[in-house]
């Protein structure tokens, strides 16, 4: 067994900071009985359970299951010897032998396993779950034999799952990758887990989902086995209809795989003649080819998706848009936005956007620096004023707004939101779906909110002068207003709104802050390689950050650790997994207000903000490079200055 302590190993592997270790040790002294250090760090959110279990196994920091059984008096030495001998001769797991011999009851075995892996034991009777059926079915279907599991609850970005035995490290990583949540394990009795699974309409190996939804096959390649790559005649493509059973399964599989990969968009691109249909997915902001499909489906695949979205399949000359509730067709509870576009050869491209429906992200996980977090947190707690979050489409503006609102979402605060679409839901919010076809626009919704006695208003997007003017008016009449805008930087936002025609005096009085953001690809936590940079590389980074600004930041050169991508199974060999936010926060100080009233140029506003401590998008990105979270090429890709 390795002589290093768990805390020392975690520090050596850079999974926690010395401050986090010290905080956990101090907290442990106040708890009775004191929990194991690793378990406490997981509970405090400083460490992932999968990382902890991997290190305990890798460094041999836990006793064997047999030693645990004896140490905690679950059975006698003689009974254990008999069970071990039978396990060896019969080639059966020890736990199964203990049950077969009636040496342990189901409940005692579950408690022994919980002790062995240092996870809580729980009874599932009368426990209520807040898990949606689609996610629950996906988790239950994931189970590798002989494991059984059922999800219990979601809290922020973590999900608690009851298991009869812990998953191996690689399987646990794969499950977290599929559901995009950190897994917290509790141990429960196997029969109680099976009984709980009956609340959901799918059991492991059933292959079907509630409501008659279609089966999701193993892979596209399996479905296309025996299919020719190209039709012999153009007429073959006309013979395939949207009701073709293979096509139906194929479309469901494409969408389900996109959901599992956490793709934001699916692009279906048919071509004239015999050329294959290209299906691409955008994951973590980058498009890549997912699959090539036989060209004989080039007409029917668009029609199938139109039927799912309740669009007109006879109209191929004009663009159309609609939405799909995918849980009617497959095991994923995800809402889709569909847009079609006529292309050359009487064909139609289809783009499907997967909406990130779910819980808001925890505010502290947004990736804001200490200065930005403090300033933004102060702004959202003001009784009135205007807060803007800006950036391009898909930069996480809505996620940031909902995360901020979750901080102030209390029973005594009345909050109305107008969104298009409603992607994230929170209890306590009154959320309105914009529908411009019937005249329910952001401006009209905002105007109506003012008659509903709100404390806080969130407007999904400011698109025109009317919406901007009402937002400013609302913020000046005692309401906190949060909204988004499509601009490139925080200072440019100010000049853009002034160019729209806003009154500079009212606008300057109402504005609290502007947060600009981008998303950069994050290095994979499981394979990134950390290293200390040489002087030339460090000098280049500091020069790009700005020598004077770096000197004022207080960062020590010798403490900078960079990282580079490697590639593993978890990140599909890319070296990247997930995205991290980079931010630029402009606080509306008295000096900035004065510049707004004078309709100053963007450069003057930026200079003033930088003097007051604002870090630009690129500087914020470089800070994250210096913490080993991403690399400079990514920051250069998503930011200009």
């Amino acid at each position: 067994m390795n002589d290093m302590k768990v805390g020392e190993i975690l520090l050596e592997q850079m999974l926690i900071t010395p401050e986090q270790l010290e905080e956990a040790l101090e907290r442990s002294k106040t708890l009775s009985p004191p929990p194991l250090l690793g378990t406490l760090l997981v509970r405090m959110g400083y460490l992932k359970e999968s990382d902890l279990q991997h290190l305990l196994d890798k460094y041999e920091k836990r006793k064997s299951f047999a030693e645990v059984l004896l140490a905690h008096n679950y059975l006698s030495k003689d009974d254990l010897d008999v069970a071990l001998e039978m396990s060896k001769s019969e080639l059966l797991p020890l736990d199964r032998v203990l049950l077969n011999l009636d040496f342990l009851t189901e409940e005692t075995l579950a408690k022994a396993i919980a002790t062995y892996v240092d996870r809580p034991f729980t009874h599932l009777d009368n426990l209520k779950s807040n898990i949606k059926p689609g996610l629950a079915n996906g988790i239950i279907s994931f189970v590798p034999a002989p494991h059984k599991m059922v999800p219990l609850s979601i809290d922020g970005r973590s999900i608690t799952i009851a298991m009869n035995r812990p998953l191996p490290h690689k399987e646990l990583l794969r499950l977290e990758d599929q559901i995009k949540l950190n897994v917290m394990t509790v141990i429960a009795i196997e029969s109680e887990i099976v009984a709980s699974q009956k609340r959901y309409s799918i059991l492991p190996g059933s292959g079907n989902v509630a409501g008659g939804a279609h089966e999701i096959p193993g892979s596209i390649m399996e479905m296309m086995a025996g299919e020719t790559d190209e039709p012999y005649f153009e007429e073959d493509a006309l013979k395939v209809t949207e009701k073709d059973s293979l096509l139906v399964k194929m479309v469901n599989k494409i969408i389900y795989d996109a959901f599992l990969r956490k793709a934001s968009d699916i692009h279906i691109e048919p071509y004239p003649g015999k050329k294959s249909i290209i299906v691409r997915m955008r994951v973590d902001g980058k498009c890549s080819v997912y699959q090539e499909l036989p060209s004989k489906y080039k007409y029917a695949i668009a029609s199938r998706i139109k039927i799912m979205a309740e669009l007109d399949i006879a109209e191929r000359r004009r663009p159309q848009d609609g939405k799909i509730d995918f849980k009617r067709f497959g095991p994923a509870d995800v809402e889709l936005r569909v847009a079609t576009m006529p292309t050359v050869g009487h064909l139609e491209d289809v783009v499907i956007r997967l909406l990130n429906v779910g819980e808001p992200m925890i505010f502290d996980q947004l990736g804001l620096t200490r200065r930005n977090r403090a300033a933004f947190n102060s702004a959202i707690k003001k009784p009135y004023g205007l807060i803007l979050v800006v950036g391009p489409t898909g930069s996480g503006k809505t996620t940031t707004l909902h995360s901020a609102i979750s901080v102030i979402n209390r029973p005594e605060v009345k909050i109305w939101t107008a969104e298009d679409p409603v992607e994230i839901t929170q209890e306590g919010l009154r959320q309105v779906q914009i529908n411009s076809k019937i005249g329910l626009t952001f401006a009209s919704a905002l105007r109506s909110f003012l008659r509903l006695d709100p404390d806080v208003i969130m407007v999904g997007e400011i698109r025109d002068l009317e919406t901007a003017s009402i937002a400013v008016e609302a913020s000046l009449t005692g309401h906190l207003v949060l909204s988004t805008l499509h601009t490139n930087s925080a200072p440019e936002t100010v000049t853009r709104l002034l160019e729209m025609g806003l009154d500079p005096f009212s606008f300057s009085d109402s504005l609290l802050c502007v947060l600009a953001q981008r998303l950069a690809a994050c290095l994979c936590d499981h394979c990134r390689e950390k290293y200390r940079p040489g002087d030339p590389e460090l000098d280049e980074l500091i020069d790009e950050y700005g020598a004077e600004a770096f000197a004022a930041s207080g960062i020590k050169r010798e403490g900078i650790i960079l990282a580079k991508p490697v590639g593993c199974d978890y990140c599909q060999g890319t070296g990247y997994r997930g995205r991290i936010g980079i931010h630029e926060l402009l606080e509306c100080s008295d000096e900035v207000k004065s510049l707004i009233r004078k309709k100053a140029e963007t450069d003057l506003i930026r200079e003033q903000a930088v003097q007051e401590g604002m870090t630009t998008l690129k500087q914020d990105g470089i800070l994250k490079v210096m913490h080993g979270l991403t690399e400079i090429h990514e920051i250069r890709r998503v930011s200009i200055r």
Side-chain angles (χ1 to χ4, degrees):
M1 184 175 287
N2 191 291
D3 292 333
M4 291 180 67
K5 295 182 179 180
V6 171
E8 294 173 341
I9 295 172
L10 293 171
L11 286 176
E12 182 186 73
Q13 296 296 313
M14 299 182 183
L15 291 173
I16 60 171
T17 65
E19 293 76 16
Q20 291 170 341
L21 175 60
E22 184 178 352
E23 183 183 347
L25 291 172
E26 288 298 319
R27 186 170 177 181
S28 178
K29 296 175 184 177
T30 65
L31 300 175
S32 182
L36 294 179
L37 177 62
T39 303
L40 183 56
L41 286 163
V42 171
R43 292 179 192 170
M44 295 171 71
Y46 293 152
L47 182 65
K48 291 178 64 174
E49 182 181 326
S50 56
D51 289 336
L52 173 64
Q53 300 302 336
H54 176 60
L55 286 181
L56 292 177
D57 291 333
K58 179 179 178 180
Y59 290 88
E60 299 179 344
K61 299 302 292 184
R62 58 164 127 240
K63 297 179 180 178
S64 69
F65 185 47
E67 289 174 325
V68 169
L69 290 170
L70 287 179
H72 291 80
N73 298 317
Y74 285 112
L75 78 170
S76 67
K77 178 70 165 58
D78 291 340
D79 287 347
L80 177 61
D81 289 340
V82 171
L84 287 171
E85 182 63 32
M86 182 173 289
S87 173
K88 184 178 179 180
S89 62
E90 300 291 336
L91 300 178
L92 290 173
L94 177 60
D95 57 342
R96 290 299 164 196
V97 172
L98 293 170
L99 288 177
N100 293 341
L101 293 175
D102 289 330
F103 285 173
L104 294 180
T105 64
E106 263 198 304
E107 180 173 345
T108 307
L109 175 62
K111 289 180 178 178
I113 292 173
T115 303
Y116 169 58
V117 296
D118 193 29
R119 302 307 304 151
F121 167 80
T122 187
H123 281 288
L124 301 187
D125 298 341
N126 302 319
L127 283 180
K128 293 184 178 180
S129 173
N130 66 352
I131 306 294
K132 294 182 179 180
L135 177 58
N137 290 334
I139 291 171
I140 295 170
S141 300
F142 172 88
V143 180
H147 300 264
K148 289 182 173 60
M149 64 178 78
V150 65
L152 300 181
S153 63
I154 288 181
D155 181 13
R157 301 304 301 168
S158 297
I159 184 170
T160 301
I161 301 178
M163 304 181 186
N164 67 322
R165 62 181 71 191
L167 283 175
H169 178 247
K170 286 186 177 180
E171 295 294 337
L172 184 57
L173 286 181
R174 192 161 69 89
L175 176 59
E176 289 182 329
D177 184 36
Q178 287 195 0
I179 62 178
K180 315 307 174 192
L181 294 168
N182 293 330
V183 171
M184 304 281 286
T185 303
V186 298
I187 303 299
I189 299 171
E190 183 174 324
S191 59
E192 290 185 3
I193 293 175
V194 173
S196 296
Q197 288 177 341
K198 293 179 180 178
R199 290 182 302 170
Y200 303 103
S201 53
I202 181 170
L203 290 175
S206 68
N208 289 309
V209 185
H214 297 81
E215 180 182 353
I216 299 294
S219 73
I220 293 286
M221 298 306 294
E222 289 176 12
M223 285 185 281
M224 293 195 303
E227 290 280 315
T228 56
D229 291 337
E230 302 175 352
Y232 292 104
F233 303 101
E234 181 70 14
E235 288 77 13
D236 291 344
L238 298 173
K239 292 177 183 177
V240 181
T241 70
E242 64 278 356
K243 297 179 182 178
D244 183 276
S245 61
L246 184 57
L247 175 66
V248 168
K249 292 179 181 180
M250 195 180 295
V251 170
N252 287 356
K253 177 61 177 172
I254 291 169
I255 295 171
Y256 187 60
D257 278 359
F259 169 75
L260 294 181
R261 294 183 182 201
K262 206 175 181 180
S264 59
D265 302 271
I266 305 168
H267 298 255
I268 298 173
E269 304 164 352
Y271 292 87
K274 297 181 179 181
K275 190 174 179 181
S276 299
I277 302 166
I278 304 298
V279 180
R280 297 196 287 168
M281 291 183 183
R282 188 181 296 278
V283 179
D284 294 338
K286 296 180 180 178
C287 258
S288 61
V289 175
Y290 159 76
Q291 191 69 56
E292 293 187 12
L293 306 179
S295 61
K296 72 177 187 179
Y297 296 108
K298 62 186 177 183
Y299 299 116
I301 193 167
S303 296
R304 172 59 191 166
I305 296 170
K306 282 181 174 182
I307 286 176
M308 296 170 72
E310 299 180 355
L311 301 177
D312 184 1
I313 64 171
E315 179 56 79
R316 293 184 176 179
R317 300 168 300 171
R318 296 178 181 176
Q320 296 186 63
D321 59 86
K323 60 183 179 180
I324 300 172
D325 185 0
F326 186 63
K327 66 185 176 185
R328 295 168 47 203
F329 305 96
D333 185 6
V334 58
E335 188 173 343
L336 313 171
R337 285 289 185 272
V338 176
T340 69
M341 176 62 70
T343 53
V344 175
H346 305 289
L347 298 171
E348 290 178 283
D349 271 34
V350 181
V351 176
I352 303 172
R353 166 152 288 193
L354 288 78
L355 300 183
N356 184 25
V357 178
E359 303 284 329
M361 182 179 285
I362 298 172
F363 185 75
D364 288 341
Q365 294 179 351
L366 288 177
L368 294 165
T369 60
R370 183 177 300 177
R371 178 259 180 189
N372 289 347
R373 182 169 63 247
F376 196 53
N377 188 53
S378 173
I380 62 178
K381 291 181 178 178
K382 295 283 177 66
Y384 55 86
L386 177 64
I387 297 173
L388 298 173
V389 179
V390 304
T393 300
S395 60
K397 299 186 296 296
T398 301
T399 299
T400 297
L401 280 183
H402 269 282
S403 179
I405 286 176
S406 69
V407 175
I408 56 176
N409 184 9
R410 303 185 303 275
E412 61 269 25
V413 180
K414 183 61 178 285
I415 304 174
W416 281 94
T417 77
E419 303 170 71
D420 184 23
V422 176
E423 297 182 43
I424 301 171
T425 57
Q426 295 187 52
E427 287 188 15
L429 266 59
R430 308 310 300 153
Q431 296 178 266
V432 174
Q433 171 73 55
I434 292 303
N435 187 347
S436 56
K437 294 179 180 178
I438 62 171
L440 183 55
T441 62
F442 284 116
S444 63
L446 181 52
R447 193 179 292 108
S448 298
F449 287 167
L450 296 177
R451 297 191 287 270
L452 298 173
D453 188 31
D455 295 303
V456 179
I457 297 171
M458 180 186 124
V459 185
E461 183 183 345
I462 292 178
R463 295 176 177 171
D464 50 45
L465 177 59
E466 182 183 12
T467 308
S469 299
I470 301 171
V472 169
E473 178 188 339
S475 63
L476 291 173
T477 54
H479 307 93
L480 182 65
V481 180
L482 302 95
S483 189
T484 72
L485 206 68
H486 289 112
T487 54
N488 290 321
S489 68
E492 285 178 38
T493 304
V494 174
T495 52
R496 170 75 63 84
L497 287 168
L498 290 174
E499 288 170 0
M500 272 188 184
L502 279 183
D503 174 53
F505 291 92
S506 299
F507 180 40
S508 63
D509 287 342
S510 67
L511 187 63
L512 295 175
C513 68
V514 182
L515 179 72
Q517 67 179 57
R518 298 286 188 282
L519 294 177
C522 192
L523 290 170
C524 176
D525 286 336
H526 300 276
C527 66
R528 63 179 174 177
E529 184 179 317
K530 295 184 179 181
Y531 68 96
R532 295 195 180 277
D535 286 337
E537 186 177 5
L538 204 50
D539 290 339
E540 183 182 356
L541 268 183
I542 293 172
D543 183 60
E544 200 161 352
Y545 186 90
E548 291 184 9
F550 181 80
S553 69
I555 301 173
K556 304 294 184 183
R557 283 178 62 107
E558 56 274 14
I560 295 174
I561 297 175
L562 304 184
K564 56 186 176 182
V566 177
C568 63
D569 292 339
Y570 184 73
C571 61
Q572 299 180 351
T574 64
Y576 296 92
R577 190 65 191 173
R579 287 189 285 179
I580 188 170
I582 60 173
H583 307 90
E584 176 179 277
L585 183 70
L586 182 152
E587 292 184 272
C588 198
S589 64
D590 290 340
E591 290 75 13
V592 173
K593 288 179 186 291
S594 177
L595 290 173
I596 294 175
R597 294 188 190 106
K598 298 173 183 175
K599 294 189 176 183
E601 295 292 329
T602 301
D603 289 343
L604 291 176
I605 297 174
R606 179 182 291 109
E607 288 174 12
Q608 180 61 39
V610 168
Q611 287 179 18
E612 295 174 1
M614 182 185 84
T615 52
T616 66
L617 282 166
K618 194 166 194 178
Q619 287 176 331
D620 190 70
I622 293 173
L623 289 176
K624 290 175 169 68
V625 171
M626 291 178 176
H627 285 89
L629 300 175
T630 184
E631 60 173 355
I632 189 62
H633 306 296
E634 267 300 301
I635 302 305
R636 290 170 182 155
R637 183 179 67 85
V638 300
S639 61
I640 298 174
R641 53 187 299 174

